Amino acid sequence: MAKVIGWGIPKSKRSKAPFYTKNQIVTVFDQVAILLELDGANVFRVRAYQNASRALGQLEKDLFDLVSEDLLIQTKGIGKGLASLVKDIVMEGHWGKLGELYDKVPTGLVEMVGIPGLGPKRARTLFEELGVSSVDGLKIACEENLVAELQGFGAKSQKKYLDGIDLLRRNQGRSRLDIGLGFGIALRNRISKIPGVMEVELAGSARRRKETIGDLDLVVSAAPENQSGVIGSILGLPGIADVKGAGGSKISLILEQSVLVSDSSRGKLDKSLSEAIINRAQDSTIDAQIRVVSPEMFPFTLAYFTGSKEHNIRMRQLAIERGLRLNEFGLMPESLIGDLIGINAAAHSLICKDESQIYNHLGLDWVAPELREDNGEIEAAMSKSIPNLIEVTEIRGALHNHTTASDGQNTLEEMAGEARRLGWEYIGIADHSPALRIGGRSIGVDPDAVEIQASEIESFNRKMADQGDAFRVFHGSECDILPDGKLDYNEDVRGTFHHVIGSVHAINTWKSRDEQVNTDAMISAIEDPSFTVLGHPTGRVLQVREGFPVDMLQVIKRMGELNGDGYLKAIEINASPYRLDLDWRLCRTARDHGVPLLINPDAHSVEGLSDVSYGVDIARKGWLEAKDVLNTLPVEEIDQLLGG
DNA sequence: GCCGTTTTCGGCCCGACTGTTTTCAGTCG
């Protein structure tokens, strides 16, 4: 069963203020919102904690500074009460009454609300009436028919919970972006071939390109007279494991692995980790919700189910301010609809032939789905300053890739060949340094072998040049940032590389240390003159482990200062689908502090190179334009940046 | 618990679906 990881109030590792970091408080406030729901608190109080967590997470300034100067209260979403609580947490290390809340609500209830169809109210009732406080306990209670006999519950609820528990075990919640997109695009392509289907689009978190996807949402348009036929054809498609529900306009399905047309396996990190991920993918199913609507409703339904929830709330508020009502059926003037609701009111909707016209009616420019998170995009769309987001076709190369010289599957020539096939102008090789040990032995390139690799690359480049081909291979290293903040290899060896990608691999050491200690070590590595790129900055592996604690804001600020001093200090968006590290929120922060970004597939095989597309997705979520991303520079400019 | 060109109280986005009841609460997106 899904374990609740990192639950509870953290213990401070500090002896003086700040006792806790912004990230720790953000996590606790998210958890408090869940606990308050389970405790039956006022829903608006719950929302206040959710909003405060969001607000803190998006702070650009240092939390300790803001608290010290009593400026936190100026942040929208943080009022008198929470500003004073945060001050106590940061300055004194005291969490007020939050500890009591954790003690009061059994952690098992938190797992229980992960069961589809079981929310906080009913979880609480089950706890109070039956003493059920865990998923396993609920399973037993259902099997003994105790749940069906409760007031307000019944046989169907009981069965739904049992099915939900089973689904949780098989499905394990969310899917990685690459896997979710694989299912989603395959399903979209199949539906698009059904006669009578006019349009079909992926909506939901897949369209917004979140790092992980809960379930798939698709919106289909068809003329009213064809809709029932289209629904029948969708239900008859191959690869459907189960139909959870099917009505006049909505279908809910569970898809089998066989829906995936292409194999989604990608490059490898290390054998055991990669096996864990592949096993997970093969067991997994994914849920899909499909809505079939008439063509005039399609843009409204698509926008509505693309979300996010937070973005939709802002959109509806803007509609209200203009005397309009916005929902999945249309955009209706309040004056015309009177008491009509839902689909009956939609007859009075303003006509919008696509999403951009909906935005225009609300005084906004169209917002790309990737930006729809209520993370400033509404304000930008209002002032016509939505950026021109980077496209995957603008990528001309990437600098972080492995070969058989360390733990890659393909040779230098094979990797370069695939890069050229993709239309790239260059590829950077960055094999591991000797400090990285897997299975008791070093898998890195020792200093003698570095010299050999350098001459291989030199002769490859000479051969290219002789053939009049401008394609280049750059010789770099993925050089370990050691726990003390020094870089692997000695200064002379590091000086021979075109680029040095500094990465943390001793995860256990870094995970058990204080955030500021890690931050100082990372900054010290970055300050080394040979250092050019920060590799997979937070060390997270999606669905496997969280990153180590580090204050990326401090790191990014220091990198920005060093760039001002004439160095190249870039930060990597690791595009490998099991990492997708950096977080998209930090992309904007880096750009705003003058730190160039680099989308790196971290490919361990030729197939892995095309993973840059997932990095582009994250870069787009992070508001990046082509000019913010080094990969879009022509090879001559990359050559100059790396010192010729 | 937050917020205010309806500013210190009374709001806080909107609607469908489900299962349980027979008018509605809970859940979901």
Side-chain angles (χ1 to χ4, degrees):
Chain A
M1 188 46 57
K3 278 217 314 248
V4 186
I5 300 163
W7 194 259
I9 290 177
K11 294 237 184 324
S12 180
K13 292 175 177 141
R14 312 266 171 85
S15 55
K16 61 179 172 56
F19 285 96
Y20 293 95
T21 66
K22 183 178 81 180
N23 291 336
Q24 289 174 316
I25 298 171
V26 165
T27 304
V28 169
F29 279 13
D30 278 336
Q31 296 178 358
V32 164
I34 296 168
L35 291 172
L36 284 170
E37 272 194 302
L38 286 167
D39 196 37
N42 178 307
V43 289
F44 301 109
R45 196 168 157 230
V46 173
R47 192 179 297 168
Y49 275 91
Q50 288 166 340
N51 290 341
S53 170
R54 265 172 81 81
L56 284 174
Q58 290 175 9
L59 277 183
E60 285 284 301
K61 299 210 177 72
D62 186 76
L63 179 63
F64 184 47
D65 292 346
L66 285 175
V67 169
S68 307
E69 293 160 31
D70 280 324
L71 294 175
L72 189 60
I73 197 157
Q74 295 177 359
T75 310
K76 192 169 161 19
I78 301 196
K80 225 170 161 183
L82 286 178
S84 137
L85 176 60
V86 171
K87 186 171 184 180
D88 278 352
I89 294 167
V90 172
M91 302 308 242
E92 313 292 337
H94 298 155
W95 293 84
K97 291 185 187 304
L98 297 188
E100 293 168 29
L101 186 64
Y102 277 90
D103 293 340
K104 198 171 158 193
V105 182
T107 313
L109 292 185
V110 179
E111 295 173 22
M112 279 164 58
V113 294
I115 297 169
L118 178 58
K121 297 263 169 59
R122 281 168 175 255
R124 187 174 163 74
T125 307
L126 289 165
F127 174 59
E128 284 175 347
E129 299 293 325
L130 298 177
V132 166
S133 63
S134 70
V135 173
D136 291 336
L138 177 61
K139 188 161 190 281
I140 293 166
C142 288
E143 283 162 356
E144 291 177 357
N145 204 37
L146 296 171
V147 174
E149 289 168 1
L150 273 182
Q151 177 77 24
F153 292 74
K156 287 199 174 171
S157 304
Q158 182 167 276
K159 175 155 193 315
K160 192 167 68 179
Y161 300 155
L162 280 173
D163 290 347
I165 291 169
D166 187 48
L167 188 75
L168 261 191
R169 295 214 157 111
R170 279 189 294 122
N171 182 351
Q172 301 175 5
R174 303 180 68 84
S175 300
R176 269 173 13 201
L177 175 63
D178 58 323
I179 295 168
L181 271 183
F183 275 106
I185 291 171
L187 184 61
R188 186 189 67 190
N189 291 344
R190 290 183 189 191
I191 292 175
S192 70
K193 296 193 181 92
I194 292 173
V197 168
M198 299 168 77
E199 280 184 276
V200 50
E201 267 303 333
L202 209 48
S205 53
R207 185 165 182 238
R208 300 203 314 280
R209 299 294 196 267
K210 293 266 287 181
E211 296 99 334
T212 61
I213 290 165
D215 57 8
L216 294 171
D217 289 282
L218 285 97
V219 182
V220 177
S221 78
E225 64 273 21
N226 294 333
Q227 288 179 3
S228 66
V230 166
I231 288 173
S233 301
I234 292 172
L235 292 174
L237 288 175
I240 295 173
D242 196 10
V243 178
K244 287 166 70 182
S249 67
K250 183 178 155 183
I251 312 170
S252 183
L253 301 172
I254 300 176
L255 302 180
E256 282 172 1
Q257 189 81 359
S258 66
V259 168
L260 281 171
V261 177
S262 62
D263 178 8
S264 71
S265 70
R266 296 288 187 192
K268 290 182 179 171
L269 180 65
D270 65 61
K271 213 171 166 217
S272 60
L273 183 56
S274 142
E275 276 169 4
I277 290 167
I278 288 166
N279 286 338
R280 201 182 181 95
Q282 279 173 348
D283 284 340
S284 74
T285 56
I286 193 164
D287 284 16
Q289 318 280 330
I290 303 160
R291 275 108 186 154
V292 181
V293 299
S294 55
E296 70 274 12
M297 272 183 203
F298 182 80
F300 298 104
T301 311
L302 179 63
Y304 186 86
F305 287 105
T306 297
S308 64
K309 191 176 160 203
E310 290 76 14
H311 179 87
N312 284 355
I313 289 173
R314 293 291 306 277
M315 292 285 283
R316 284 195 288 264
Q317 282 168 340
L318 286 178
I320 292 168
E321 287 167 19
R322 286 167 170 71
L324 299 166
R325 184 187 300 172
L326 176 64
N327 59 29
E328 66 264 52
F329 307 118
L331 181 61
M332 288 78 62
E334 285 288 351
S335 57
L336 294 183
I337 57 180
D339 290 336
L340 296 174
I341 57 160
I343 203 158
N344 296 319
H348 301 284
S349 175
L350 305 177
I351 307 289
C352 292
K353 71 172 172 47
D354 57 29
E355 278 188 339
S356 67
Q357 295 189 347
I358 305 175
Y359 283 87
N360 295 162
H361 275 302
L362 301 178
L364 305 175
D365 278 351
W366 181 73
V367 176
E370 293 93 327
L371 301 186
R372 300 182 194 171
E373 304 287 350
D374 189 20
N375 196 17
E377 75 280 6
I378 301 277
E379 290 75 9
M382 218 175 272
S383 62
K384 309 215 171 295
S385 54
I386 291 275
N388 193 12
L389 302 176
I390 182 173
E391 306 277 353
V392 71
T393 49
E394 294 177 295
I395 299 292
R396 299 183 193 229
L399 289 179
H400 180 175
N401 300 293
H402 297 264
T403 70
T404 47
S406 64
D407 58 346
Q409 309 288 303
N410 293 98
T411 63
L412 168 64
E413 286 77 13
E414 289 165 341
M415 295 297 278
E418 177 67 9
R420 297 182 73 214
R421 200 189 65 75
L422 289 171
W424 290 3
E425 298 174 10
Y426 64 92
I427 184 172
I429 300 300
D431 277 307
H432 288 290
S433 70
L436 182 61
R437 303 178 70 81
I438 289 175
R441 66 183 189 87
S442 169
I443 60 159
V445 185
D446 67 44
D448 294 341
V450 167
E451 216 170 305
I452 297 169
Q453 193 177 43
S455 62
E456 283 172 3
I457 288 175
E458 207 185 313
S459 69
F460 182 93
N461 283 333
R462 204 174 313 115
K463 203 170 76 190
M464 284 282 130
D466 289 347
Q467 294 168 4
D469 192 325
F471 186 86
R472 277 285 300 276
V473 176
F474 293 104
H475 185 208
S477 167
E478 183 179 14
C479 187
D480 257 68
I481 299 176
L482 304 172
D484 61 1
K486 294 208 166 54
L487 290 169
D488 204 5
Y489 292 125
N490 65 39
E491 204 181 321
D492 292 339
V493 174
R494 288 200 307 273
T496 66
F497 294 117
H498 288 119
H499 56 293
V500 170
I501 298 175
S503 300
V504 166
H505 287 111
I507 293 293
N508 288 338
T509 305
W510 288 68
K511 270 197 106 158
S512 59
R513 295 200 300 196
D514 178 74
E515 183 179 287
Q516 194 57 46
V517 174
N518 284 339
T519 306
D520 291 342
M522 187 176 269
I523 287 175
S524 144
I526 289 164
E527 287 171 341
D528 187 285
S530 67
F531 185 104
T532 38
V533 180
L534 180 58
H536 46 74
T538 72
R540 80 168 175 183
V541 175
L542 287 169
Q543 301 181 323
V544 176
R545 63 165 187 247
E546 289 301 315
F548 48 82
V550 62
D551 185 349
M552 283 309 299
L553 186 58
Q554 280 184 55
V555 171
I556 286 169
K557 278 181 176 165
R558 184 65 186 128
M559 291 179 84
E561 289 166 13
L562 291 165
N563 278 310
D565 288 345
Y567 285 101
L568 172 64
K569 306 286 182 186
I571 194 164
E572 164 179 296
I573 300 170
N574 192 295
S576 180
Y578 51 79
R579 285 199 187 272
L580 299 184
D581 186 15
L582 194 70
D583 182 285
W584 51 266
R585 292 170 190 84
L586 288 170
C587 293
R588 269 167 93 183
T589 311
R591 179 204 61 192
D592 294 344
H593 285 86
V595 178
L597 287 107
L598 191 55
I599 296 169
N600 276 329
D602 196 354
H604 287 66
S605 68
V606 289
E607 293 86 11
L609 288 174
S610 52
D611 287 349
V612 285
S613 69
Y614 304 115
V616 171
D617 290 335
I618 299 304
R620 288 172 63 87
K621 282 194 82 62
W623 294 57
L624 300 184
E625 301 183 67
K627 67 177 171 54
D628 304 317
V629 177
L630 288 183
N631 306 61
T632 62
L633 291 177
V635 61
E636 306 80 38
E637 288 183 41
I638 289 287
D639 192 22
Q640 274 186 6
L641 273 176
L642 299 182

